[in-house]
Amino acid sequence: PEHARMSIIEFLENYKTAFALERLDYIRTIFDENAVIIVGKIAKAATGISPENQITYNNNIIIRTRYTKEQYLKNLERCFASNEFVNVRFANNDIIKAGKGGEIYGIQIKQDYYSANYGDTGYLFLLVDLNDPEAPMIKVRTWQPEPDPVDGLYDISHF
């Protein structure tokens, strides 16, 4: 519906802007206390990383880590402090409404992330509760560099 479309557009713009302006206070308000947060990064070498947290795609080593909300925010705070800028750009959005739970949407986005000392392109998946459009809540946040050979891209069916 149009109202949901506008809420999602506004939410995604606010999300990107929060990174650009390093608004940790806003980011804190949009993550559910029990959110599933899986962060991925492309590593040059995998020394000291446990094999269950790493995957190899096209000769790149991808490290995926699950964080609590507080761990994620603490890492994001360090990221903001150590970078002159953090920019996020979105393309190719796919949005699917959950079958139950009201206004809950799975948003799959191709994301370009770049900062002063790191950059990557991959796929961000957000499961967002928009039952209160004035207070959207991220229930799940995942990232992967490209579709998994077996499971494809994370989407609402994985959660």
Side-chain angles (χ1 to χ4, degrees):
E2 185 66 23
H3 73 279
R5 184 175 300 133
M6 295 309 295
S7 293
I8 292 168
I9 290 169
E10 181 179 354
F11 169 75
L12 291 174
E13 285 301 319
N14 288 338
Y15 184 88
K16 288 190 317 184
T17 301
F19 276 82
L21 298 177
E22 300 180 355
R23 295 259 337 264
L24 200 59
D25 59 325
Y26 172 76
I27 295 169
R28 179 177 301 282
T29 67
I30 62 172
F31 275 92
D32 185 81
E33 290 303 316
N34 298 311
V36 174
I37 302 170
I38 301 171
V39 175
K41 69 179 181 179
I42 300 172
K44 301 217 184 288
T47 57
I49 304 298
S50 61
E52 66 271 9
N53 291 340
Q54 69 184 34
I55 297 172
T56 303
Y57 285 123
N58 295 333
N59 297 321
N60 287 320
I61 298 167
I62 311 305
I63 300 168
R64 290 191 281 197
T65 307
R66 182 172 176 174
Y67 291 113
T68 65
K69 176 181 175 177
E70 288 309 312
Q71 290 169 323
Y72 176 71
L73 292 170
K74 188 171 287 216
N75 288 341
L76 198 52
E77 183 176 23
R78 279 195 299 271
C79 173
F80 289 161
S82 67
N83 282 287
E84 184 179 332
F85 64 88
V86 174
N87 286 317
V88 177
R89 185 174 49 208
F90 293 150
N92 303 339
N93 304 339
D94 286 324
I95 300 169
I96 298 174
K97 188 174 188 301
K100 58 184 177 178
E103 298 296 308
I104 297 178
Y105 295 87
I107 305 169
Q108 193 178 75
I109 308 159
K110 185 170 185 183
Q111 173 186 270
D112 293 318
Y113 174 98
Y114 51 101
S115 67
N117 60 21
Y118 180 80
D120 62 39
T121 297
Y123 295 89
L124 182 68
F125 173 75
L126 301 171
L127 184 66
V128 181
D129 182 339
L130 289 172
N131 282 302
D132 179 354
E134 299 302 314
M137 194 63 56
I138 297 172
K139 302 290 190 177
V140 176
R141 180 237 184 254
T142 68
W143 180 89
Q144 64 192 110
E146 58 188 62
D148 183 90
V150 175
D151 296 324
L153 290 173
Y154 293 127
D155 64 24
I156 203 166
S157 69
H158 291 91
F159 302 94

